[in-house]
Amino acid sequence: MSSTVHPNEALFDAEQPFPVIPSCEHFAGSEKLILKAMQMQKETGPVFDITCDCEDGAAAGSEQEHAEMVARIIGSADNEFNMMGVRIHDPSHPHWQKDLDILIPACGEKLAYITLPKCTQGAQIKEMVTYIQRLASLHSIAREIPIHVLIETHGALQDVWQIAATDWVQVLDFGMMDFVSGHYGAIPASCMRSPGQFDHALLKRAKTEMVAAALANGVVPAHNVTLDLKDAQQTTDDATRARNEFGFMRMWSIYPTQITAIVNAMKPNYEEVADAEAILLAAQENSWGPIQHKGELHDRATYRYFWELLQRAHVSGIAVSAEAKAAFF
């Protein structure tokens, strides 16, 4: 094997590599807030996604106009990084298909993802994804449009393994507030915040089950928002616990100051990034055979770990060496 073989070719064979996407997803509902988020993205660089909200963001009776506005912005040249997705209406809402009828023809080539909320069973997700695939084919869109699914009901959690295995699904999002509300007061409102959101047995069980299903199916698990909008330290603490204790690899933001807090909390450790560069460069030089690094043996299993870590570092804005950038990016 040539020493210049890229890790995606050398390490994954016929498997689908794990999605490498930003660790922060920022929600914006109105046109004003969407444009503000786009400006922030241009200033900070492509380290977070923007989710344009056609569900809660659209006033009742204005669903069509709202979806048309979102489609226009996503399809515009101002969407410089093609890192804008959309949350459509839930499967019980009469406008969910119309959202897609508007969005996919207008900006399907640039849509970063489509988020599907409030499903109560896996069959609903299958129906919605099939509709998206049919529309994409009808409009000659050859790419897979990534699907994000909110797990926020009892039924969705029950079917979470089926949902995670559905074609085109890239992310599972935990919907804290709706999930707590669905327990009829059995989970106190205080558990929508920390530490209860991590410590309550029912929430711990739900989060770990969702993360396990996501990771077993090569899907990214995303954590819910921090309700405290102004305390960046609380966002940092929540993102750190979500990442280190529960295995979440992405988190929602609903306020501008939360973006940096999430990115910083979830990005890889700099020392690990330096190790990843050194290990991968040496492995590539050795045609991806076993090597030693700092007195330890490394082979394809650890190479995969460090390659995924290096990619996460890259999308988090961590500078990689010129040598690693030339070899891998």
Side-chain angles (χ1 to χ4, degrees):
M1 182 181 293
S2 168
S3 63
T4 60
V5 173
H6 193 272
N8 279 343
E9 299 173 13
L11 303 179
F12 293 94
D13 299 323
E15 297 176 58
Q16 182 77 14
F18 191 77
V20 178
I21 56 177
S23 59
C24 181
E25 174 180 344
H26 181 67
F27 263 72
S30 69
E31 182 172 8
K32 175 183 175 181
L33 293 178
I34 293 170
L35 293 176
K36 182 178 179 180
M38 287 179 67
Q39 184 58 39
M40 289 177 58
Q41 197 180 59
K42 291 179 181 180
E43 293 169 358
T44 63
V47 297
F48 68 95
D49 284 327
I50 300 169
T51 302
C52 305
D53 193 4
C54 283
E55 185 193 24
D56 295 339
S62 300
E63 292 88 354
Q64 178 171 334
E65 293 82 359
H66 192 87
E68 289 171 347
M69 175 271 294
V70 167
R72 172 174 49 80
I73 293 175
I74 292 177
S76 72
D78 288 334
N79 179 12
E80 180 179 346
F81 301 114
N82 293 342
M83 292 171 61
M84 300 183 73
V86 60
R87 178 168 69 173
I88 67 169
H89 285 88
D90 70 83
S92 69
H93 195 283
H95 207 268
W96 76 263
Q97 290 176 315
K98 185 63 175 176
D99 284 342
L100 295 168
D101 293 342
I102 293 168
L103 290 159
I104 289 179
C107 61
E109 292 287 1
K110 297 189 72 171
L111 264 175
Y113 50 88
I114 299 171
T115 299
L116 311 180
K118 294 184 179 62
C119 73
T120 57
Q121 54 183 306
Q124 290 174 323
I125 297 303
K126 179 64 175 176
E127 177 190 0
M128 297 176 88
V129 171
T130 298
Y131 191 79
I132 291 167
Q133 292 171 330
R134 189 180 303 124
L135 271 179
S137 177
L138 179 65
H139 294 282
S140 301
I141 298 170
R143 62 184 286 258
E144 290 188 8
I145 301 174
I147 305 298
H148 296 191
V149 181
L150 268 155
I151 305 300
E152 52 188 338
T153 67
H154 295 286
L157 184 61
Q158 180 175 326
D159 288 353
V160 70
W161 287 79
Q162 174 189 341
I163 292 168
T166 303
D167 286 346
W168 292 21
V169 170
Q170 181 192 65
V171 171
L172 295 185
D173 300 298
F174 189 69
M176 168 65 72
M177 290 179 283
D178 280 285
F179 191 75
V180 171
S181 298
H183 281 74
Y184 311 107
I187 303 175
S190 61
C191 288
M192 294 185 189
R193 300 168 180 82
S194 295
Q197 67 160 320
F198 295 111
D199 295 340
H200 193 287
L202 287 172
L203 295 177
K204 184 179 290 188
R205 170 248 176 181
K207 289 184 178 184
T208 53
E209 185 70 14
M210 193 202 84
V211 170
L215 295 176
N217 286 279
V219 170
V220 176
H223 195 260
N224 52 272
V225 300
T226 293
L227 295 183
D228 191 325
L229 301 181
K230 302 297 177 69
D231 187 349
Q233 186 59 51
Q234 185 62 63
T235 304
T236 299
D237 292 345
D238 288 350
T240 300
R241 287 199 70 179
R243 179 69 184 89
N244 295 339
E245 296 180 31
F246 289 80
F248 284 96
M249 304 182 78
R250 183 172 166 100
M251 182 168 163
W252 286 13
S253 158
I254 51 172
Y255 195 74
T257 57
Q258 294 183 337
I259 295 171
T260 301
I262 293 167
V263 171
N264 287 339
M266 288 200 162
K267 67 185 179 184
N269 178 279
Y270 183 78
E271 291 182 2
E272 280 201 327
V273 174
D275 282 340
E277 289 186 8
I279 289 167
L280 292 169
L281 287 167
Q284 189 181 60
E285 182 66 23
N286 196 42
S287 299
W288 300 101
I291 64 163
Q292 287 190 45
H293 177 72
K294 295 182 178 178
E296 295 179 341
L297 174 68
H298 292 278
D299 59 16
R300 290 169 62 88
T302 55
Y303 299 158
R304 290 174 63 157
Y305 172 86
F306 285 112
W307 171 231
E308 288 165 353
L309 182 145
L310 191 62
Q311 290 177 93
R312 292 200 306 274
H314 186 59
V315 299
S316 298
I318 297 176
V320 300
S321 70
E323 187 179 5
K325 190 171 184 179
F328 306 128
F329 300 108

